[in-house]
Amino acid sequence: KAGVTQTPRYLIKTRGQQVTLSCSPISGHRSVSWYQQTPGQGLQFLFEYFSETQRNKGNFPGRFSGRQFSNSRSEMNVSTLELGDSALYLCASSFLGGGSYEQYFGPGTRLTVT
Amino acid sequence: TQLLEQSPQFLSIQEGENLTVYCNSSSVFSSLQWYRQEPGEGPVLLVTVVTGGEVKKLKRLTFQFGDARKDSSLHITAAQPGDTGLYLCVVPGGGGSNYKLTFGKGTLLTVNP
């Protein structure tokens, strides 16, 4: 079974631009979560989608948004990029979601904002 | 304030040494997980512990959940270079939601050959 895939793997953007990251979950998984990883803050939860509905959102500004498609693939968008948005963005999928279930992480998208 | 405090933050040891890393909190958890993240990869689940006092072994790794379900430890025996990575303590929920994982900041382990 193929793992979680994320595209692109690396991205360089300029302040003020916007960016869209993509995540394809493991086949059959309906829950997709997004996390931001930085050296200072570690991994922080962005949001989780299940069957195309956002079930929960972390404490990030409205510039961070996401969506999930009927095939469970998910995208996240960051508008008006700031230098502090430079991070590794990780996507994780699980069958049902919820914290007690194992989440399978993709390799991440490394975003650099200059 | 961090929900989960992991220590030490960094650990560099020689191959063959033993080590223990810790995850502490003032909160009680229904379950706790340990993930390992290798350079350039996403985290991978190592173990889930659910019962106070529970001990689980995974080859040379021994995981223990505290009796009060507030803390956990990970002990590695005879560490190998392949054990190098970021060890993350994780609990479900946080901020009033069950649909998320809350991560500690991790222990970055380097095992030198």
Side-chain angles (χ1 to χ4, degrees):
Chain A
K1 187 184 276 191
V4 177
T5 58
Q6 292 187 244
T7 56
R9 290 293 308 274
Y10 302 92
L11 205 49
I12 300 175
K13 290 286 188 178
T14 305
R15 270 183 304 175
Q17 289 185 316
Q18 75 165 21
V19 66
T20 299
L21 312 181
S22 180
C23 171
S24 293
I26 291 172
S27 178
H29 284 190
R30 296 163 65 188
S31 168
V32 174
S33 298
W34 288 89
Y35 294 85
Q36 181 196 65
Q37 185 174 28
T38 59
Q41 298 300 318
L43 275 107
Q44 292 185 291
F45 173 77
L46 280 157
F47 27 65
E48 188 242 1
Y49 287 87
F50 184 84
S51 293
E52 302 179 66
T53 300
Q54 186 183 89
R55 285 201 296 198
N56 194 41
K57 190 176 190 303
N59 295 323
F60 279 81
R63 300 185 297 107
F64 291 82
S65 62
R67 59 178 176 169
Q68 187 180 34
F69 302 96
S70 58
N71 62 358
S72 293
R73 191 177 68 85
S74 178
E75 289 182 346
M76 68 162 282
N77 183 277
V78 187
S79 62
T80 319
L81 284 166
E82 300 178 358
L83 294 179
D85 297 333
S86 293
L88 180 67
Y89 290 88
L90 292 160
C91 161
S93 78
S94 66
F95 181 60
L96 289 176
S100 297
Y101 297 97
E102 178 175 1
Q103 297 203 14
Y104 296 82
F105 285 82
T109 294
R110 172 74 62 185
L111 172 64
T112 302
V113 181
T114 63
Chain B
T1 304
Q2 281 285 110
L3 181 64
L4 298 170
E5 297 287 345
Q6 290 193 245
S7 60
Q9 191 175 355
F10 301 96
L11 188 56
S12 180
I13 62 171
Q14 294 300 122
E15 182 176 1
E17 293 184 4
N18 301 331
L19 67 114
T20 302
V21 298
Y22 301 92
C23 175
N24 294 291
S25 178
S26 58
S27 300
V28 177
F29 302 114
S30 58
S31 65
L32 185 145
Q33 298 174 327
W34 285 91
Y35 281 74
R36 179 172 65 204
Q37 184 177 20
E38 298 182 10
E41 302 295 330
V44 175
L45 179 66
L46 296 174
V47 76
T48 300
V49 287
V50 297
T51 305
E54 181 177 4
V55 176
K56 281 192 173 179
K57 292 193 175 185
L58 182 67
K59 297 183 181 178
R60 294 175 293 98
L61 278 60
T62 301
F63 304 85
Q64 183 161 10
F65 200 14
D67 290 341
R69 290 185 288 123
K70 294 181 177 182
D71 54 81
S72 181
S73 63
L74 158 59
H75 181 79
I76 301 179
T77 303
Q80 299 177 0
D83 296 326
T84 292
L86 180 66
Y87 288 81
L88 295 157
C89 166
V90 185
V91 293
S97 168
N98 289 323
Y99 299 111
K100 61 179 283 190
L101 297 178
T102 297
F103 287 77
K105 290 193 175 182
T107 293
L108 185 59
L109 171 65
T110 302
V111 182
N112 302 298

